[in-house]
Amino acid sequence: MPTGLIFDIKKFAVHDGPGIRTTVFMKGCPLRCAWCHNPESWKREPEILFYEQRCIGCEKCFEACPSGALRIEDGKRAYDRDRCRHCYACVDVCYAEATIKCGREVTVEDVMAEVEKDRPFYEHSGGGMTVSGGEPMMQEAFVFSLMKRAKETGIHTALDTSGYVRWEVLARFQEVTDLFLYDLKLVDEARHRTYTGVSNRGILDNLKKLSGAGASLMIRMPIVPGYTDGEADVEAAGRYLSSLDGDRIRVQLLPYHRLAESKYERLEDVYPLKEVPAPPKERMERLRELLSGYDLDASVGG
Ligand code: SF4
Ligand code: SF4
């Protein structure tokens, strides 16, 4: 049985598919979206998070580090990622839990034990389990086994994916996925490449094939002022989505928020969208109306 590397399991999630859900966050992502709100998901291996407010300045982590990756600069803790050997000695000695390891290896049984605890909530709310990330398909063998197990035990399964994966892999997941939460960031290929680091050709092709195959889909579009909120971009998405086969397509517009800022601080990284505000409600409603004009079932998500 394959094992998986996760960075979180979120209970009582209400924005990751229908009803009350348990969301499993996988590590690893091939995209680098400028507005990413889960930067701790990017690397396929565990990494160090630093909670500055918890630090009591005992300096034990500096003493424990065998590679000189931790030192004091201008009276503050400095972490040299390139020198880090990922031995986690600093985590072991930090009793204040200011330095922690992000990333935990788990089995299907480990995750299912957590997911099973909330089965009564799924049954009452029409919820279930969602696998998210990162990009879950980077750990396809583990995620397939996990979703297969959940489905076999009668738990509704949703897969939150960027769609940036070979079609053969995605096609196989239809067997174990009740609902695909499919990200659509931009239809314009050049700007998609600029803001996410990858082409969207395969993503759009996969979406066409999934809808043609009759998969249950919820398209999710992040609305980020100055990046993805242009009316021309939203209309291009509307035209593309309305050309797909299958039932009336459901689209959820997700307003950008700045809650991830502290995550970048914990990774001792720079938050790239400091100046970008959350889109006003009226703007979200205007974009929702535009999409509805393409005979899409459009809504604004949380
Ligand atoms: S061991 Fe923890 S509490 Fe002590 S200095 Fe390092 S990060 Fe701060
Ligand atoms: S994981 Fe090991 S090498 Fe990296 S900073 Fe911590 S003690 Fe140093």
Side-chain angles (χ1 to χ4, degrees):
M1 264 292 187
T3 57
L5 188 69
I6 64 169
F7 66 92
D8 200 8
I9 295 181
K10 188 164 96 188
K11 314 280 263 179
F12 299 103
V14 292
H15 298 300
D16 298 329
I20 295 172
R21 311 190 70 81
T22 295
T23 304
V24 183
F25 291 91
M26 307 302 302
K27 268 194 69 67
C29 187
L31 278 68
R32 290 292 179 271
C33 302
W35 50 82
C36 181
H37 59 270
N38 283 337
E40 73 275 44
S41 74
W42 288 347
K43 294 212 171 125
R44 178 63 183 79
E45 66 266 10
E47 55 199 311
I48 303 272
L49 296 185
F50 177 54
Y51 289 74
E52 192 174 1
Q53 298 87 341
R54 296 182 193 166
C55 177
I56 54 172
C58 68
E59 300 191 9
K60 288 202 184 312
C61 54
F62 303 93
E63 293 158 16
C65 180
S67 67
L70 293 173
R71 58 184 186 283
I72 299 180
E73 259 177 32
D74 301 328
K76 287 187 79 176
R77 178 187 185 274
Y79 170 49
D80 185 339
R81 208 173 289 278
D82 293 335
R83 297 183 82 157
C84 178
R85 292 186 212 158
H86 298 279
C87 67
Y88 306 108
C90 54
V91 173
D92 293 340
V93 297
C94 183
Y95 298 109
E97 296 186 350
T99 297
I100 66 161
K101 180 179 170 186
C102 173
R104 179 162 63 100
E105 195 164 320
V106 289
T107 62
V108 166
E109 286 72 27
D110 293 333
V111 177
M112 285 307 296
E114 283 303 308
V115 170
E116 282 288 356
K117 286 180 189 165
D118 292 336
R119 184 184 280 272
F121 295 102
Y122 313 146
E123 287 170 358
H124 280 101
S125 68
M129 179 186 78
T130 298
V131 184
S132 181
E135 172 47 63
M137 297 294 90
M138 280 190 80
Q139 299 189 58
E140 64 175 85
F142 172 79
V143 174
F144 189 88
S145 301
L146 174 62
M147 294 184 67
K148 185 166 185 281
R149 182 75 62 85
K151 203 166 160 58
E152 281 169 356
T153 61
I155 292 174
H156 180 275
T157 57
L159 180 68
D160 180 11
T161 179
S162 66
Y164 189 73
V165 58
R166 283 183 300 117
W167 166 246
E168 295 70 31
V169 175
L170 203 54
R172 185 167 168 253
F173 269 79
Q174 290 177 93
E175 192 189 313
V176 296
T177 306
D178 292 313
L179 174 66
F180 288 88
L181 301 169
Y182 202 101
D183 295 348
L184 178 61
K185 299 159 201 314
L186 284 163
V187 171
D188 182 282
E189 205 228 342
R191 288 183 34 258
H192 190 280
R193 206 181 265 281
T194 302
Y195 296 144
T196 71
V198 303
S199 165
N200 62 2
R201 294 257 168 89
I203 294 171
L204 297 178
D205 282 355
N206 283 343
L207 180 53
K208 199 175 180 62
K209 287 175 181 158
L210 265 188
S211 66
S216 177
L217 285 163
M218 168 67 85
I219 311 298
R220 305 215 291 183
M221 294 175 56
I223 299 299
V224 188
Y227 290 78
T228 64
D229 73 331
E231 295 195 4
D233 285 322
V234 173
E235 295 215 68
R239 276 192 300 279
Y240 174 77
L241 293 172
S242 64
S243 75
L244 299 178
D245 295 330
D247 296 338
R248 191 160 172 248
I249 301 269
R250 290 176 291 170
V251 194
Q252 210 173 37
L253 297 173
L254 304 177
Y256 165 76
H257 58 69
R258 301 182 51 151
L259 298 178
E261 194 163 354
S262 57
K263 293 186 177 183
Y264 284 82
E265 284 165 12
R266 282 174 217 146
L267 284 163
E268 295 168 81
D269 212 338
V270 177
Y271 185 58
L273 267 62
K274 266 193 184 326
E275 311 304 325
V276 176
K281 274 192 178 139
E282 305 72 45
R283 180 72 182 153
M284 295 302 297
E285 182 52 25
R286 164 74 185 143
L287 299 179
R288 190 198 66 75
E289 278 172 7
L290 274 183
L291 281 179
S292 296
Y294 288 88
D295 196 25
L296 300 167
D297 180 359
S299 61
V300 176

